[in-house]
Amino acid sequence: MKKFILILTILLFGIPSFSADIKPVLNNTELLFSPNDNIFSIGAPTDNKISISKKTSTGTGNYSIYTYNNNETMLGSDYEFLFNGRLIACHNAALKLFEVIYNGKNFEEKQLTDAQIQEIFPDAEIIKISQFNQDKKLTVKKHFLEKKNFLLLNDTDKYFHKYSFHPQSVKFTPVAGLFKASSIGKITFSHFGTDKYTIYVKNNFRKQK
């Protein structure tokens, strides 16, 4: 019984923590798109919906490829999820988010606005690369009694392939820029310790609205 509980615990904590409205799209997932309703879903194929199959490219980058009606679209993302019937593409190496839309013939990506991103991650405070000072340092605050989510987005021309956060415990989803600050301290975002961006987390003692 103890072994079963341990395995169950590992499985539960290994599953990405998301809002109930977010459904990860895994490799080999079969999606459906309704042109009439402009909605993506997972389910049995029907005559009035476009059937789409996802696979991952080989080699460097591991980009997502969506196949439909003998056509193929390679996205700039390596991770996608459904949000309220919308297909959201995470360009993790660029720290940018896009929505996959249908133009009547093909699927293409459109970059999300800050407002659209905030709708998807309402509990996360958005911070941007341009907010870091010349020393690549930034201070953020959280209420001293709470944990807080932050979403780091890139509003520059920089590329962040194989960058990661330290400590690793701040990460809880495959969305590259999304992290959780549980306590005060220092969080770094870097390429194996080089080109380091430092985030200082401090407490805010004011009452939350």
Side-chain angles (χ1 to χ4, degrees):
M1 176 62 72
K2 290 182 178 179
K3 185 177 181 180
F4 172 77
I5 294 174
L6 177 61
I7 293 173
L8 181 60
T9 302
I10 292 173
L11 289 174
L12 287 175
F13 279 94
I15 297 173
S17 175
F18 286 120
S19 159
D21 296 327
I22 291 179
K23 298 178 181 178
V25 179
L26 305 179
N27 200 29
N28 297 319
T29 296
E30 298 290 334
L31 288 179
L32 296 174
F33 176 73
S34 172
N36 294 331
D37 301 322
N38 198 31
I39 288 176
F40 288 89
S41 62
I42 299 175
T46 60
D47 292 338
N48 62 342
K49 293 184 180 180
I50 300 174
S51 180
I52 311 167
S53 178
K54 173 189 172 175
K55 64 180 180 179
T56 304
S57 67
T58 57
T60 304
N62 295 324
Y63 296 109
S64 297
I65 301 172
Y66 284 79
T67 305
Y68 57 97
N69 296 342
N70 296 320
N71 294 319
E72 205 172 70
T73 295
M74 177 179 281
L75 303 182
S77 57
D78 57 357
Y79 180 75
E80 301 81 44
F81 58 83
L82 293 182
F83 174 76
N84 292 343
R86 298 158 60 193
L87 180 57
I88 308 301
C90 303
H91 290 216
N92 281 329
L95 293 179
K96 295 179 180 180
L97 296 172
F98 291 73
E99 180 174 1
V100 180
I101 60 175
Y102 187 61
N103 62 18
K105 294 183 179 180
N106 302 300
F107 291 97
E108 59 186 21
E109 296 178 282
K110 181 179 180 181
Q111 188 168 356
L112 294 175
T113 64
D114 288 355
Q116 289 173 319
I117 294 172
Q118 198 71 79
E119 178 189 0
I120 299 171
F121 303 104
D123 297 328
E125 179 181 331
I126 293 175
I127 56 177
K128 297 186 177 182
I129 292 296
S130 64
Q131 292 177 242
F132 286 78
N133 64 21
Q134 292 182 344
D135 296 323
K136 297 181 180 178
K137 296 179 179 180
L138 175 69
T139 298
V140 298
K141 292 186 177 182
K142 69 169 195 65
H143 191 267
F144 75 103
L145 294 176
E146 299 175 351
K147 301 176 182 179
K148 186 173 181 179
N149 294 339
F150 293 89
L151 179 58
L152 177 61
L153 297 178
N154 178 20
D155 55 346
T156 72
D157 294 330
K158 286 204 64 170
Y159 198 58
F160 298 94
H161 182 55
K162 291 190 176 181
Y163 279 64
S164 60
F165 284 94
H166 181 80
Q168 295 180 348
S169 58
V170 302
K171 286 297 300 167
F172 63 101
T173 83
V175 180
L178 190 60
F179 66 96
K180 184 184 296 290
S182 300
S183 60
I184 60 173
K186 181 175 71 174
I187 297 172
T188 60
F189 181 68
S190 68
H191 184 266
F192 300 104
T194 63
D195 191 32
K196 186 181 296 183
Y197 290 78
T198 304
I199 301 167
Y200 295 97
V201 182
K202 295 187 177 181
N203 278 332
N204 183 353
F205 295 93
R206 293 180 299 178
K207 291 183 178 180
Q208 301 295 291
K209 294 182 180 180

